[in-house]
Amino acid sequence: MIVDQQAPRVSGPSEPPSVNTLSRRNFLRAGAAAGGGLVLSLRLPFATGEAEAAADNVFTPNAFVRIGSDGKIVLIMPYVEMGQGTYTAIPMLIAEELEVELQQIRLEHAPPNEKLYVNPLLGIQATGNSNAIRGAWQPLRQAGAVARNMLVTAAARHWNVDPTSCHAERGEVIHEATGRRLSYGELAAEAARMPVPENVALKRPQDFNLIGTPAKRLDTPAKVNGTAVFGIDVRPPGVKVATLAQSPVFGGRLKSVDDTAAKAINGVRQIVRLDDAVAVVADHMGAAKKGLEALVTEWDDGPHARLTTEAIAAELDEALLTPGAVAENIGDVDHAMAGAATKVEATYRLPFLAHATMEPMNCTVHLREDGCEIWVGTQALAKAQATAAETAGLPLDKVVVHNHLIGGGFGRRLEADWIARAVEIAKHVDGPVKVVWTREEDIQHDMYRPMFAHRLSAGLDGMGMPVAWNNHYAGSSVIARYLPPAFNNGLDPDTTEGAIDLVYDLPNLHVEYVRVEPPGIPTAFWRSVGPSRNVFVVESFMDELAAAVKQDPVAYRLALLDKTPRAKAVLALAAERIGWGERLPPRVGRGVSLQNAFATHMAQIAEVEVAKDGTVRVRRVVCAVDCGTAVNPDTVAAQIQGGIIFGITAALYGEITLKDGRVEQGNFDTYQILRMDEAPNIEVHIVQSQELPGGMGEAGTSAIGPAVTNAIFAATGKRLRKLPVEASALKQPV
Amino acid sequence: MIFTIKVNGQAHIVDVDDDTPLLWVLRDVLGMTGTKFGCGMALCGACTVHVDGVAIRSCVTPIDSVGTSEITTIEAIGATVVGARIQKAWLDREVVQCGYCQSGQIMSAADLLATNANPTDAEIDDAMSGNICRCGTYARIREAIKQAAAT
């Protein structure tokens, strides 16, 4: 398989193939390809809530399989590759049923196209929420099976034999009795005239050749020899490089700029003043950065000039005292609480977090009077195009977006703020301009994982088991801004995921959410989104309950899992594999967490060592996962390993704070990322399963935080209810 | 100022200020974009290249300090025995995720193995902890370095 790094075309697949048949289930159509051959059009879900929208009767395909008369098989699909292995796992689904080698499939990224790709309910074309495989699992295998069936039918007709006497193998149809063969390329044009079969059986799991077998990532060779092209690497002829400073306080304005010194710098071409930002355009980034440092800039800080994170935290605490929207209610919590033998209460606090993708924000724009071309790496192609069009004041069809490999997404590149910025700057520049953010700008003008506060209370019966569970929490709803139709009655699926539908059998449960939007700091999705907070809270509190009645935290959880056998199985497996219950040296402890998030069941047990000075080192993590069918098991393991590192970074170091309205962190010295000498040994155990595949990009991240803090409790007796870990609180008493 | 620098065996004449970081000369002036920008303060290692075989952070290396040294970048490291071994190990071990930091990781690893053919875990940690990977591929990097050392 060949991975296209750039998909410069906006025509081609955006023109629907001539439709001749509509399948009964309305998920797929077949027709003739423009240059001869067979095209299947299908619809893959994109994002949260889209599965529901698919019930809509309007067929708006967004993925295409083209089998050309030249034998080339091209899959055009809307998901983007950002390290999660989607460019390998998705083609595996179609290759499995189509009976071709993975290497025979060429992948092209779908271009933005409002008509074809925008969901009528959500208006979004995006890769996120760990749902690519979940969405593509059924439709892509069906498309492969349908195409195979049509190719076999075409061959049988050609030979005038019964189709059941033929079979498909490695891109050919073979007539078994005579050994005659025709390649898919030879058959494609004829296959396009065959009726679309309505019921094609999919392979049984035991017959899979590709699915479930580790496959080599196919986008990697270019990433080890310097030839992979990320957005930041594009160099259209005549491109200038710009870097910028935005108002250090969100909502502030640019008051004045003295650019005398900057303009004198060799290579500096132009200073661009915007309402709330200033940019230096130069021949290269070295000159642009030097120019930016030489500017003497005054800002009007605006209404948030005195804002602090403490003030936002106080607002959240206040909101915990006000009623919110009921996310889940089971039984009668108040009644159960009144009769409880023991009561436990705790308040948890989670910080703002930056994404800090390794590739800083960047976007290259060539704005002309009659059109706009942009080069970028985005998780949300249609949003990128729409934002550029709106900022440029151009119709959508005048904006061409070239999407590229993404040097880390984690939710940051679901936004388009930096694309709007680049277009604003390009309005002042003659010719193409690449706008590259410094790391400081990237961290100080991110859109952040929101700060949250949760107040938990529980009532335990005489045996110590929970009979009442109350979770009241407050913070920002990213969905309310990003996908307004998905925010209903004060709730959205992201802020509640991991707080409701718990794996535990709790007879009386009440979960209530209060939406509080912080002033002066934008919020956004961040790897593992809602569960990154909710799992920390739920699993910390569950640990507290076990501790309150002096029970083993694993046994305590297992006793609550009779109705969720998949959760119980992963917890038991993780405990067995780490050797739960072994004696450990002083200041070493193990902590557990369990979750069902992104339709994946996962248990993690972390082993930590807390030094005398309070420094925490995560030594080992054992993860047991049941993600249903593991399409590419090696990618599953890689995503868990990486997700755990991402989550440890957040647990130990991650915090964005505001002082005088300004983000106090700026680069990797003040916003630390876990390094190799701190990375634990991670063991991943994948449960063999034939269930539907679950999401894998984020689950590892949400599970690790509470496993670490629960392990710190085991090692020190100190319960941490606020992230990140405060090492000074863990010093060994003298 | 005019400088003549030698990159991957080829001489290039560039006209930039003497304090211009080598990173931007490579990326924006010479168009060799395999070397990446991550922090600009030698904190993340994405910009690592070799100067006379030694790994340095090109984002804080001014062009006027390079002189006539031999600069080697990710684009040419595969031509060295150690570099080719490392690239192969990276593919065999499926190290890469987003891939953005991997040029720098490979350049740091190549320096390590060129000077220490059989590094211990602690030596690998020492040599590699200046390189951040946000995707968290550290365990596989460690395995790949061991594989490259063993071949």
Side-chain angles (χ1 to χ4, degrees):
Chain A
M1 193 189 70
I2 299 156
V3 175
D4 272 9
Q5 288 176 0
Q6 300 187 37
R9 307 177 345 236
V10 287
S11 61
S14 59
E15 290 155 18
S18 60
V19 173
N20 66 5
T21 325
L22 174 64
S23 82
R24 186 172 62 195
R25 295 177 64 190
N26 205 23
F27 70 87
L28 182 148
R29 289 179 199 188
L38 170 68
V39 171
L40 296 183
S41 320
L42 59 149
R43 172 141 203 97
L44 300 177
F46 284 126
T48 315
E50 182 145 14
E52 292 78 15
D56 195 331
N57 280 328
V58 184
F59 179 65
T60 50
N62 59 19
F64 304 89
V65 184
R66 193 170 61 212
I67 302 170
S69 295
D70 55 2
K72 285 182 182 155
I73 299 166
V74 181
L75 169 61
I76 300 147
M77 66 164 201
Y79 305 120
V80 300
E81 177 62 55
M82 45 190 166
Q84 82 282 37
T86 236
Y87 276 19
T88 308
I90 295 271
M92 285 171 81
L93 301 179
I94 198 146
E96 180 74 65
E97 290 291 344
L98 190 52
E99 295 295 355
V100 296
E101 307 269 347
L102 195 50
Q103 289 74 11
Q104 284 178 259
I105 296 188
R106 182 185 165 90
L107 192 64
E108 287 180 9
H109 189 281
N113 183 304
E114 192 177 38
K115 278 188 200 142
L116 289 183
Y117 301 99
V118 171
N119 179 281
L121 283 184
L122 300 178
I124 171 175
Q125 175 183 356
T127 304
N129 199 33
S130 298
N131 66 4
I133 289 288
R134 281 188 279 168
W137 171 247
Q138 200 68 7
L140 269 189
R141 287 186 307 138
Q142 278 170 335
V146 163
R148 184 194 67 226
N149 181 290
M150 292 168 77
L151 289 156
V152 168
T153 308
R157 200 168 285 192
H158 186 83
W159 292 321
N160 200 19
V161 300
D162 184 345
T164 59
S165 67
C166 306
H167 77 278
E169 190 184 309
R170 296 184 180 191
E172 289 184 322
V173 179
I174 300 165
H175 181 236
E176 285 149 33
T178 60
R180 281 179 289 182
R181 293 164 178 263
L182 282 169
S183 73
Y184 283 4
E186 292 169 298
L187 291 166
E190 207 172 327
R193 291 190 287 272
M194 297 298 118
V196 178
E198 295 207 337
N199 290 305
V200 181
L202 297 178
K203 280 186 181 176
R204 296 171 304 169
Q206 57 266 42
D207 297 327
F208 288 156
N209 294 317
L210 294 171
I211 293 168
T213 304
K216 285 275 172 207
R217 286 277 300 271
L218 296 157
D219 56 330
T220 38
K223 291 177 175 178
V224 303
N225 63 20
T227 59
V229 179
F230 296 84
I232 203 168
D233 298 327
V234 300
R235 304 178 76 240
V239 72
K240 297 276 183 288
V241 181
T243 195
L244 80 170
Q246 299 167 86
S247 168
V249 178
F250 292 99
R253 298 267 155 221
L254 181 64
K255 208 194 267 176
S256 70
V257 181
D258 177 351
D259 60 10
T260 320
K263 275 183 162 167
I265 290 166
N266 185 21
V268 169
R269 296 287 170 181
Q270 191 182 346
I271 313 299
V272 174
R273 293 168 172 79
L274 302 175
D275 284 352
D276 57 350
V278 57
V280 177
V281 183
D283 292 340
H284 56 84
M285 183 69 171
K289 279 183 82 174
K290 197 172 165 186
L292 194 72
E293 281 155 25
L295 291 177
V296 182
T297 311
E298 273 191 284
W299 303 95
D300 169 359
D301 287 341
H304 307 304
R306 312 301 306 166
L307 185 67
T308 63
T309 8
E310 287 77 13
I312 296 171
E315 252 185 77
L316 294 179
D317 280 357
E318 223 167 277
L320 290 183
L321 304 171
T322 64
V326 177
E328 189 174 28
N329 189 67
I330 300 170
D332 185 341
V333 165
D334 291 342
H335 184 256
M337 197 74 89
T342 312
K343 286 175 193 166
V344 183
E345 271 188 32
T347 301
Y348 299 90
R349 293 184 174 84
L350 291 120
F352 290 112
L353 293 174
H355 299 82
T357 61
M358 286 310 293
E359 179 190 7
M361 292 295 105
N362 67 86
C363 178
T364 302
V365 182
H366 191 180
L367 187 60
R368 304 179 190 87
E369 267 183 29
D370 60 344
C372 176
E373 216 174 336
I374 75 171
W375 294 261
V376 70
T378 171
Q379 291 174 253
L381 201 53
K383 187 183 176 84
Q385 186 190 34
T387 301
E390 192 188 327
T391 312
L394 287 166
L396 212 53
D397 62 0
K398 297 292 180 196
V399 176
V400 176
V401 182
H402 307 277
N403 203 12
H404 291 76
L405 289 174
I406 288 179
F410 315 125
R412 178 65 180 99
R413 288 183 160 95
L414 283 167
E415 303 293 342
D417 56 300
W418 84 98
I419 295 168
R421 272 285 180 235
V423 175
E424 285 170 15
I425 292 165
K427 283 181 176 175
H428 301 267
V429 179
D430 192 19
V433 58
K434 171 157 68 179
V435 180
V436 178
W437 294 26
T438 62
R439 176 57 61 191
E440 290 77 8
E441 202 64 21
D442 184 90
I443 286 181
Q444 293 174 344
H445 289 84
D446 198 347
M447 298 177 72
Y448 304 89
R449 199 282 302 266
M451 192 179 199
F452 265 75
H454 290 245
R455 197 183 66 232
L456 276 283
S457 56
L460 312 181
D461 64 17
M463 304 293 288
M465 299 315 285
V467 290
W469 174 282
N470 217 322
N471 181 356
H472 195 112
Y473 64 100
S476 164
S477 164
V478 179
I479 291 228
R481 167 184 63 82
Y482 196 93
L483 300 171
F487 185 81
N488 288 306
N489 304 319
L491 295 168
D492 71 68
D494 171 42
T495 40
T496 54
E497 182 165 9
I500 62 172
D501 299 326
L502 301 182
V503 292
Y504 302 109
D505 185 11
L506 298 168
N508 301 286
L509 172 145
H510 186 84
V511 180
E512 208 165 304
Y513 164 58
V514 186
R515 182 183 172 201
V516 181
E517 294 303 332
I521 180 165
T523 61
F525 301 117
W526 187 95
R527 191 177 192 176
S528 86
V529 287
S532 79
R533 303 174 285 94
N534 290 326
V535 173
F536 171 72
V537 169
V538 168
E539 287 303 298
S540 294
F541 195 55
M542 192 54 79
D543 227 61
E544 295 213 39
L545 300 189
V549 291
K550 297 188 168 44
Q551 292 195 26
D552 175 82
V554 169
Y556 192 78
R557 285 172 172 83
L558 286 172
L560 295 168
L561 297 172
D562 283 344
K563 291 182 182 166
T564 46
R566 293 174 74 186
K568 192 171 189 173
V570 291
L571 177 56
L573 179 61
E576 180 216 316
R577 292 302 162 95
I578 201 163
W580 183 260
E582 287 170 356
R583 276 186 70 86
L584 297 167
R587 305 278 286 175
V588 174
R590 288 176 181 166
V592 63
S593 78
L594 177 66
Q595 68 180 23
N596 175 18
F598 312 99
T600 286
H601 290 81
M602 183 180 285
Q604 289 187 9
I605 298 178
E607 181 180 297
V608 309
E609 180 173 10
V610 185
K612 282 182 182 167
D613 68 355
T615 306
V616 173
R617 179 182 172 78
V618 183
R619 309 202 305 184
R620 182 182 173 201
V621 179
V622 170
C623 175
V625 61
D626 175 354
C627 58
T629 304
V631 175
N632 187 354
D634 192 58
T635 292
V636 168
Q639 284 301 301
I640 291 173
Q641 292 164 342
I644 286 173
I645 299 290
F646 202 87
I648 295 175
T649 287
L652 297 185
Y653 303 129
E655 185 171 31
I656 289 292
T657 54
L658 293 172
K659 192 180 176 195
D660 292 333
R662 290 157 168 79
V663 170
E664 293 187 281
Q665 295 68 29
N667 207 316
F668 294 127
D669 48 353
T670 45
Y671 195 73
Q672 283 190 71
I673 309 294
L674 203 77
R675 293 170 183 272
M676 188 184 281
D677 59 352
E678 306 166 290
N681 288 322
I682 298 170
E683 298 159 40
V684 178
H685 302 283
I686 301 172
V687 173
Q688 290 297 316
S689 167
Q690 294 178 1
E691 300 274 345
L692 292 175
M696 276 319 308
E698 306 173 272
T701 298
S702 50
I704 187 65
V708 167
T709 48
N710 291 340
I712 291 171
F713 175 75
T716 65
K718 179 88 186 168
R719 179 66 64 184
L720 299 178
R721 300 190 181 93
K722 184 172 178 286
L723 290 183
V725 166
E726 195 187 338
S728 61
L730 301 174
K731 275 186 195 161
Q732 191 165 27
V734 185
Chain B
M1 280 186 71
I2 305 285
F3 295 90
T4 303
I5 59 169
K6 208 167 167 194
V7 185
N8 300 334
Q10 272 202 313
H12 297 269
I13 298 167
V14 296
D15 179 6
V16 292
D17 277 2
D18 53 5
D19 58 354
T20 304
L22 175 61
L23 172 65
W24 303 115
V25 175
L26 291 171
R27 285 184 54 84
D28 291 348
V29 181
L30 300 179
M32 301 172 71
T33 56
T35 304
K36 300 302 190 215
F37 166 53
C39 68
M41 289 174 67
L43 295 169
C44 78
C47 67
T48 306
V49 300
H50 293 184
V51 173
D52 290 334
V54 177
I56 57 107
R57 312 299 185 208
S58 65
C59 73
V60 293
T61 304
I63 188 74
D64 70 350
S65 71
V66 173
T68 56
S69 299
E70 290 275 354
I71 299 159
T72 309
T73 69
I74 186 68
E75 284 89 349
I77 198 66
T80 69
V81 175
V82 166
R85 253 188 233 156
I86 289 172
Q87 285 174 332
K88 181 176 183 306
W90 247 244
L91 295 177
D92 288 349
R93 297 284 167 163
E94 287 286 324
V95 169
V96 177
Q97 290 189 30
C98 92
Y100 191 80
C101 75
Q102 298 296 346
S103 296
Q105 303 279 2
I106 287 169
M107 295 308 285
S108 290
D111 180 19
L112 168 66
L113 291 188
T115 51
N116 181 351
N118 214 347
T120 63
D121 277 9
E123 286 166 341
I124 293 173
D125 281 356
D126 272 356
M128 300 302 297
S129 288
N131 289 77
I132 291 174
C133 174
R134 191 72 167 123
C135 298
T137 63
Y138 299 130
R140 292 182 183 219
I141 290 174
R142 209 182 271 148
E143 286 171 19
I145 290 174
K146 288 180 183 172
Q147 178 190 317
T151 47

